[in-house]
Amino acid sequence: MTPPLYADPFAHPPEGSPADLITHLTPGARFQEVRFENYRPNPQFPSQAQARALLEDFVAQAGRPSGGGGFWPFKRRAPEGRGLYLDGGFGVGKTHLLASAYHAAGGGGDVAFMSFQDLMYLIGALGMPQAIETFRHHKLLLIDEFELDDPGNTHMANTFLGGLMPGGVSVVATSNTEPGALGAGRFNAEDFARQIQGIADRFTPHRVDGPDYRQRGTDAAQPLSDAEFAAWLSRQNPQTTAVLTHEQLNRALLSVHPSRFARVLEQVRGVAVTNLQPMPEQGAALRFVHFVDKVYDLGLHAAFTGAPLETLFDDIYRHGGYAKKYSRALSRLSEMLREARTVGAES
């Protein structure tokens, strides 16, 4: 029997100009149906319901002209943009709330949803002046997983937001607090204010408490066994499923700029990475983390086999400057592996 031919989205990655990147700044498939109404705050942590209420009000006010009504013969100057900063641990629903804000604001050309890393890649592709000009007429930017670990990136974000918010662009940013730092008060909020000191007074911080819902009541999942992977693969459509070894994936990720990972993966409905191995080189590890984020956001059927998750990233990296990236990736990998064991084939 001839084995099936699986899709290879990296063989012919979609082409496009840097400007095309902004057309994909929307919540991925996993977050297309989320709304404020179907967010389920944990009643044991009132800050979650408070975050929803704050964000609903913020979206209602974003882009609204200041001053009273009535006829005015001259074009009114746009009000300065406001900011809201949601700080909390992994899996407390911050991305759900951010995507809900996108939908509540009507989406479209004047609202953009992106991760902080997406923003960094976009600024790198467009250049700072063009990036600022590109978003100058937006009413709302939603930036998930804002990272303060890299001084260079933080400086770029400070310059970018400082060039937009005075002109009327409002911003909501979320950030992850490390699980071990949850008792550290408002450490991240204070760090955020210090790092973006030029625009910090435009942001209202709010801490979102609670446990990681992705791991609630469960142990972290591990890569699939050979039998589990065979069962998962039998439920997939070969024409829309990519199957790569970890080594093949590493080579493929080197050939595509990270800003285009989402466009590459939009060509398939499922992706499997076999024979996962520890990643001692940080560049490869960070590309893999960004790949995991895109697979997760797009809601793809995903399967992984190989080394245990806790061995993938070197301890020096897991507890270093990019600790949040790695912790988030492990949380999302665990959720996708749990889904791989329970979710059926694509329709």
Side-chain angles (χ1 to χ4, degrees), residues 84-207:
L84 178 63
Y85 174 72
L86 301 180
D87 171 36
F90 304 103
V92 295
K94 299 187 304 297
T95 303
H96 182 129
L97 288 173
L98 207 64
S100 298
Y102 178 90
H103 298 305
D110 59 355
V111 182
F113 176 101
M114 70 193 94
S115 72
F116 181 81
Q117 195 59 62
D118 288 333
L119 174 60
M120 292 300 100
Y121 289 137
L122 190 147
I123 292 174
L126 294 178
M128 183 64 72
Q130 184 59 44
I132 292 174
E133 183 60 33
T134 296
F135 291 99
R136 189 175 301 281
H137 300 294
H138 280 60
K139 70 177 180 181
L140 182 62
L141 300 185
L142 303 163
I143 305 174
D144 203 17
E145 299 149 5
F146 204 104
E147 298 167 3
L148 304 171
D149 310 311
D150 186 308
N153 286 350
T154 304
H155 175 73
M156 283 203 298
N158 198 8
T159 302
F160 175 76
L161 297 180
L164 291 174
M165 296 182 75
V169 181
S170 290
V171 179
V172 181
T174 73
S175 186
N176 290 321
T177 300
E178 274 290 279
L182 287 177
R186 306 192 69 84
F187 171 80
N188 266 27
E190 293 171 358
D191 207 24
F192 180 82
R194 182 172 62 253
Q195 295 287 354
I196 61 164
Q197 53 189 301
I199 54 174
D201 59 350
R202 300 182 191 280
F203 282 86
T204 299
H206 179 75
R207 176 68 174 269

Side-chain angles (χ1 to χ4, degrees), residues 30-105:
R30 186 178 290 269
F31 300 102
Q32 280 299 311
E33 303 303 321
V34 302
R35 299 293 187 272
F36 288 129
E37 293 77 15
N38 56 33
Y39 176 69
R40 298 289 177 262
N42 188 328
Q44 297 181 4
F45 297 92
S47 61
Q48 294 186 13
Q50 292 165 2
R52 178 175 62 182
L54 278 171
L55 197 46
E56 284 183 293
D57 179 69
F58 187 93
V59 170
Q61 299 294 326
R64 181 176 296 179
S66 59
F71 174 76
W72 187 249
F74 304 105
K75 184 177 180 180
R76 179 181 290 130
R77 181 180 181 274
E80 294 191 357
R82 299 182 303 129
L84 178 63
Y85 174 72
L86 301 180
D87 171 36
F90 304 103
V92 295
K94 299 187 304 297
T95 303
H96 182 129
L97 288 173
L98 207 64
S100 298
Y102 178 90
H103 298 305

Side-chain angles (χ1 to χ4, degrees), residues 168-305:
V169 181
S170 290
V171 179
V172 181
T174 73
S175 186
N176 290 321
T177 300
E178 274 290 279
L182 287 177
R186 306 192 69 84
F187 171 80
N188 266 27
E190 293 171 358
D191 207 24
F192 180 82
R194 182 172 62 253
Q195 295 287 354
I196 61 164
Q197 53 189 301
I199 54 174
D201 59 350
R202 300 182 191 280
F203 282 86
T204 299
H206 179 75
R207 176 68 174 269
V208 187
D209 298 298
D212 184 347
Y213 80 90
R214 289 190 282 264
Q215 311 301 337
R216 197 173 295 162
T218 65
D219 294 326
Q222 291 298 337
L224 305 181
S225 67
D226 290 344
E228 288 173 325
F229 177 63
W232 178 89
L233 200 58
S234 71
R235 301 194 298 268
Q236 310 308 313
N237 179 348
Q239 295 181 335
T240 59
T241 302
V243 180
L244 305 92
T245 66
H246 192 185
E247 184 179 3
Q248 290 171 330
L249 176 66
N250 283 339
R251 290 199 300 267
L253 296 182
L254 272 172
S255 70
V256 178
H257 192 276
S259 64
R260 301 195 183 278
F261 283 6
R263 293 197 66 194
V264 169
L265 292 170
E266 284 172 350
Q267 300 177 84
V268 296
R269 285 294 302 126
V271 60
V273 182
T274 63
N275 196 29
L276 285 176
Q277 297 294 320
M279 290 166 269
E281 197 273 308
Q282 178 144 245
L286 290 174
R287 284 190 295 273
F288 180 77
V289 165
H290 194 57
F291 168 81
V292 167
D293 284 341
K294 291 308 165 190
V295 171
Y296 181 84
D297 290 344
L298 291 169
L300 301 183
H301 301 158
F304 302 87
T305 72

Side-chain angles (χ1 to χ4, degrees), residues 220-223 276 304 307-313 318 330 333-334 337:
Q222 291 298 337
L276 285 176
F304 302 87
L309 297 189
E310 64 271 15
T311 69
L312 295 182
F313 307 124
R318 290 178 60 189
L330 291 172
L333 279 166
S334 183
L337 284 163

